[in-house]
Amino acid sequence: MKKTMQVQGMSCGHCKQSVEGAINGIDGVSEAKVNLSTGEVEIYFDDSKVTTKQLKATVEEQGYDVVAP
């Protein structure tokens, strides 16, 4: 499954690495890609292993606000 989240507060390479690393560490996520210019995180995952709610919580634990999950 593919999900695109709109995230506020990401502005640099460290932000990108932080979010991608946290999401890619979740069992069931195959890939997470951050686009700093649009503020979007594109996530490919197995929805039988991980929920959108878990993905949102993981981004927020990194210190960023998900405005559109």
Side-chain angles (χ1 to χ4, degrees):
M1 181 172 194
K2 177 186 168 188
K3 178 77 179 166
T4 303
M5 292 185 176
Q6 193 69 37
V7 180
Q8 287 184 332
M10 300 182 300
S11 59
C12 64
H14 180 267
C15 300
K16 178 176 170 24
Q17 288 180 326
S18 176
V19 172
E20 286 178 349
I23 296 173
N24 282 320
I26 300 172
D27 184 40
V29 172
S30 54
E31 185 180 18
K33 294 188 289 187
V34 170
N35 183 329
L36 291 174
S37 63
T38 62
E40 292 180 340
V41 182
E42 196 172 84
I43 307 163
Y44 296 88
F45 65 101
D46 180 344
D47 61 353
S48 68
K49 292 185 176 182
V50 63
T51 65
T52 301
K53 187 176 180 179
Q54 287 173 294
L55 296 171
K56 181 179 186 267
T58 299
V59 172
E60 290 177 342
E61 284 169 10
Q62 298 305 307
Y64 306 101
D65 294 321
V66 177
V67 282

